């Protein structure tokens, strides 16, 4: 169909039919872009604004929590490091055993590997075998490091196999220092 045919058919319509067709064309031109373009983007913008509000609330809550933690004064830990006396070897081993109990570590063996006399102290080398899970081994080493400054771990081996899994065997070689008895 060409334009003349469309124009002649449009002129042959009654005034009422022409008005209905024009209203439908205007509705198509206005409503379709609104439904396809504006409405979905306005919903998307509304959802993103809500997400931003939620994130702002989370940030405010986190900042409030951090501020309350920062307000708590922390006492500096002052540790007095002294060498235990020669006969207090059992006390040092008991302290290490306590740390192992706290961390749920099982001792397999503790064996001295030798000692060396230094000026005013004795350097004692120890080999410790533990049956432990990896997380408990971490807790044990962390506690020993924090509380027993004169118990130095020099070597650490951790092995596991199918019969022991999830536990394993840890082998620690450590050095501890004892005061010479005068």
């Amino acid at each position: 169909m060409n334009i003349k045919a469309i124009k002649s058919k449009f002129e042959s319509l009654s005034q009422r039919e022409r008005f209905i067709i024009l209203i439908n064309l205007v509705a198509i031109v206005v409503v379709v872009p609104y439904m396809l373009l504006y409405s979905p983007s306005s919903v998307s913008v509304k959802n993103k604004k809500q997400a931003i509000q939620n994130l702002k609330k989370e940030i405010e809550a986190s900042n409030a929590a951090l501020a309350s933690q920062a307000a708590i004064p922390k006492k500096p830990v002052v540790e007095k490091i002294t060498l235990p006396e020669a006969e207090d070897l059992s006390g040092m081993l008991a302290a290490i055993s306590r740390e192992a109990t706290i961390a749920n570590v099982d001792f397999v063996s503790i064996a001295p590997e030798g000692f060396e006399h230094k000026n005013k102290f004795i350097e004692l080398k120890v080999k410790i075998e533990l049956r432990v899970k990896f997380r408990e081994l971490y807790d044990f080493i962390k506690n020993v490091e924090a509380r027993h400054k004169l118990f130095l771990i020099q070597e650490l081996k951790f092995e596991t196999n199918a019969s022991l899994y999830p536990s394993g065997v840890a082998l620690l070689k450590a050095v501890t220092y004892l005061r010479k008895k005068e």
Side-chain angles (χ1 to χ4, degrees), residues 33-46:
Y34 174 80
M35 296 293 287
L36 295 177
L37 300 174
Y38 179 74
S39 182
S41 62
S42 69
V43 169
S44 174
V45 167
K46 185 189 289 184

Side-chain angles (χ1 to χ4, degrees), residues 41-59:
S41 62
S42 69
V43 169
S44 174
V45 167
K46 185 189 289 184
N47 290 340
K48 288 181 181 179
K49 283 182 181 178
Q50 184 64 35
I52 289 172
Q53 290 295 342
N54 291 341
L55 288 174
K56 284 181 181 179
K57 287 179 184 176
E58 282 184 40
I59 289 171

Side-chain angles (χ1 to χ4, degrees), residues 14-111:
S14 68
Q15 187 70 21
R16 182 174 177 232
E17 291 171 337
R18 288 182 194 168
F19 185 70
I20 291 172
I21 289 175
L22 286 175
I23 288 179
N24 283 333
L25 286 174
V26 169
I28 289 173
V29 168
V30 172
V31 172
V32 169
Y34 174 80
M35 296 293 287
L36 295 177
L37 300 174
Y38 179 74
S39 182
S41 62
S42 69
V43 169
S44 174
V45 167
K46 185 189 289 184
N47 290 340
K48 288 181 181 179
K49 283 182 181 178
Q50 184 64 35
I52 289 172
Q53 290 295 342
N54 291 341
L55 288 174
K56 284 181 181 179
K57 287 179 184 176
E58 282 184 40
I59 289 171
E60 288 172 4
S62 296
N63 286 340
L66 287 174
S68 68
Q69 276 186 339
I72 300 172
K74 295 182 180 176
K75 291 189 259 179
V77 179
V78 178
E79 287 188 41
K80 183 178 178 186
I81 299 174
T82 60
L83 292 171
E85 294 181 16
E87 60 269 354
D88 197 25
L89 175 62
S90 62
M92 187 271 308
L93 291 175
I96 299 301
S97 296
R98 248 188 332 272
E99 296 300 333
T101 304
I102 291 170
N104 294 325
V105 172
D106 295 328
F107 277 103
V108 175
S109 68
I110 299 175

Side-chain angles (χ1 to χ4, degrees), residues 105-109 127-134 136-138 140-141 155-160 164 167-173:
V105 172
D106 295 328
F107 277 103
V108 175
S109 68
K127 179 178 165 185
I128 302 173
E129 192 173 344
L130 309 166
R131 183 173 180 166
V132 63
K133 293 181 182 174
F134 188 77
E136 284 80 9
L137 177 64
Y138 168 77
F140 172 69
I141 291 172
E155 188 178 328
L156 169 66
K157 291 182 185 175
F158 183 79
E159 297 177 359
T160 188
L164 289 174
S167 294
V169 175
L171 185 65
L172 299 170
K173 290 189 178 182

